[in-house]
Amino acid sequence: TVTLASLVEKETSVDTERKLVAGVYRNRLEKGMKLECDPTTIYAALLENRYDGVIHRSDLDSPHPYNTYRHPGLPPGPIANPGRASLAAARQPAETEYI
């Protein structure tokens, strides 16, 4: 829950969008899809001291375990400290068909 909430936290700063974002991620997880979450790719690049403010093709292709463009499912752990709204969204995502 905390890992998913951390992705939601970094994906949007708008509280009213958090449940929808969590619902999209839940749908992708249930389908076995890659999450393709930009904040995880940025986090992976930050851990390798190579993030320069722009996501490059090499970032998307990186084999780093936090790169959700390469690895399906949740990353190995949280990428941020989620707030209350993101935690609530991760526990109760919106019902949506969006993926």
Side-chain angles (χ1 to χ4, degrees):
T1 299
V2 174
T3 298
L4 177 58
S6 74
L7 274 57
V8 172
E9 182 74 24
K10 295 303 278 184
E11 190 68 54
T12 183
S13 61
V14 181
D15 283 347
T16 57
E17 294 177 350
R18 293 184 195 279
K19 286 186 179 255
L20 181 59
V21 169
V24 169
Y25 287 148
R26 182 201 54 216
N27 290 344
R28 290 179 185 178
L29 289 167
E30 287 176 355
K31 293 179 183 293
M33 296 175 65
K34 295 174 187 162
L35 293 180
E36 297 184 346
C37 172
D38 288 353
T40 63
T41 303
I42 292 168
Y43 185 74
L46 285 168
L47 290 175
E48 294 179 337
N49 294 317
R50 56 185 179 75
Y51 184 64
D52 64 4
V54 177
I55 297 174
H56 299 278
R57 174 93 253 161
S58 59
D59 297 321
L60 299 175
D61 293 337
S62 169
H64 196 283
Y66 276 91
N67 181 5
T68 59
Y69 276 84
R70 286 285 304 266
H71 305 286
L74 290 170
I79 62 168
N81 188 16
R84 186 175 300 224
S86 292
L87 287 164
R91 285 192 308 271
Q92 252 185 334
E95 294 292 328
T96 182
E97 296 296 317
Y98 298 148
I99 54 168

